[in-house]
Amino acid sequence: MLILRNQMIAMRDGVHLATDIYLPDPKSGPWPVVIERTPYDKCKPSRSEKQLDGQHLSREAMAQAFTAQGFVAVFQDCRGRYASEGVFTKYTAEGEDGFDTLAWLMAQPWCNGRIGSMGLSYAAHTQLAMACLHPPGLSSMALDSGGFANAFQCGIRQGGAFELKQATWAWRQAKESPAALADPAIGHALAAEDIHEWFARMPWQSGQSPLRHVPEYEAYLLDQWSQGCFGEYWQKPGIYAQGHYANLPDIPVLFMSSWYDAYVSSTLANYAAFQANTQRAQRLVMGPWLHGDRNITHSGDVEFGPQAAFDGQVGATWLSTRLDWFERSLKPGAEPAPASVQVFMMGGGSGAKDHNGRLQHGGRWLHGQQWPLSGSEPLTLYLTEQKCLSRTPATQPAAHLSYLADPAHPVPTIGGALTSGAPVFVGGAFDQRERADFFGTRGDNRPLAERDDVLSFQTEPLTEDLIVAGPLRIELWIDSDAPDTDFTAKLLDVYPPSADYPEGFAMNITDGIRRCRYRDSWEAPTLLPPGERVKVVIEPFATCNLFQRGHRLRLDIASSNFPHFDVNPNSGEAEGQARHPRVARNTLHLGANNPSRLELTVLPRSALPLPQ
């Protein structure tokens, strides 16, 4: 293996990006190329390379595996990161930089004209960004837990609210910026900031944030935060593949994500787009994991069992799976990989605590040829004034429930499908209680459902198993005395009391949010007319969970989920501003004239795929 380190590849604007190239035996080329473009240092091991046996593969070990199988392995630092030149502005340069890099690779004598790409998270965003520009040579991708379908709806904003993982990510990554690496004083200043204290006094302003020590990081973050309307800012290839689906290359893609990842809806939307717009076979894998943790079989306080690991269950290893994928998609004459869908159905476990103190929720892999799985059907449950979820709509014409939403005391985030929140918040499945180890809670371990600003609706104990497997939608009829407010929805699997959990266990499955000013339009927000009933739609991430007989399915409605999302001040002020916060009285209408409802995708037992 021949290694060419820090090859400086020129971009169209003259900026040079540092690139490491690993070549096989130079006597046998040219070869297909596999590239990963990353902001996390091309010389360090990627967190995606943690194997079930405990090994954490280095870049060199990865490159050795690829070159031994007849591929050139290429790793590149993104613009403004580590050895690359330029200024880092998150996401926006990746399409053009990826295109220019592939054009350079195509001109090299050791490249045979077929290029594959791979990478986790940001390194998946870089792939899809360049794919939207149809770069020369791109013939296959392995999109792992990333790739923005529409960052306005998943990844930066969601339902009109701002995802605050962008703030924690920026604070952590600013410590690795060229400015911080060149001047230790900047790194020390960033490290000295009390990020928890900063989160207690949001929103941040220019020059008044923990990022003020690295102004370009502060600028891009606050710019994202302030861009509340879906306009030109959000329609760049790097963060809006949906606007470029018609230009996608006709290539096979391996899509990977997980039910507690921050990119569920992006992954499923991208998979559907490639299915619809290309002729090549696509593959989808959805596990029960946190972001990129495919060989960790628990999420939060919930254990899914050894069958939940990727290695040994979905493939021998993630590395061998990619090698096989690129062998089939890049080598001439190889048999293409067949189209397939593999999703992990959570649930079915004993519900007892394991030796690590985690609830044994269990689960198994389902195999199919489409998503949602064949045989899926809709189920509608209506929210009632008695706080039930009923298959029968209300008969009384009018009914309602109200609560006060105070932005000074938001409902705290207890896990969920999120990432990059450390050290302030974490994702995963947890009993929904105000635990002292979660930011912003009262710390008294009381159930969130007991809060005055949370409305909980649940079924009777299920008389038979219920499999929810696919998208879901919550349609609420509401009014408020505030000009703007948020509504949140959280789907839960409620375990009955047991010896290990005397008060039961309310496990979060998926959640979503809608900022009311965007109820009718993402481009043209309108404030709420005081007291006027309007419809608000919330679309949480899709999921796949078996609600066992004896459990309850629950839906929690509130008006905040902080610090997962920024808190609406209820004042109608511009996004990212909260100089005049106010308490909102929010009302949910439940009668026959305005039926609020939960729409699920369910899989009948008769349609459940047989185990493989």
Side-chain angles (χ1 to χ4, degrees), residues 480-497:
S480 177
D481 63 1
D484 189 34
T485 192
D486 291 349
F487 278 88
T488 65
K490 183 183 299 178
L491 185 71
L492 302 101
D493 186 344
V494 181
Y495 277 75

Side-chain angles (χ1 to χ4, degrees), residues 383 399-401 476-479 533 587-591 594-596:
L383 285 61
H400 68 272
L401 295 170
L476 303 178
W477 285 93
I478 65 97
D479 73 67
R533 296 180 194 181
T587 298
L588 192 60
H589 294 274
L590 310 163
N594 301 108
S596 293

Side-chain angles (χ1 to χ4, degrees), residues 415-435:
L418 52 91
T419 186
S420 302
V424 182
F425 54 102
V426 297
F430 296 92
D431 193 4
Q432 295 298 288
R433 294 177 173 274
E434 300 221 29
R435 289 173 25 174

Side-chain angles (χ1 to χ4, degrees), residues 1 3 5 20 22 42-45 57-67 73 75:
M1 182 172 69
I3 305 175
R5 296 198 184 278
D20 289 347
Y22 298 80
K42 60 181 169 49
C43 299
K44 292 180 181 177
L57 298 180
S58 66
R59 296 284 186 187
E60 289 74 14
M62 289 175 61
Q64 183 66 54
F66 276 92
T67 56
F75 303 103

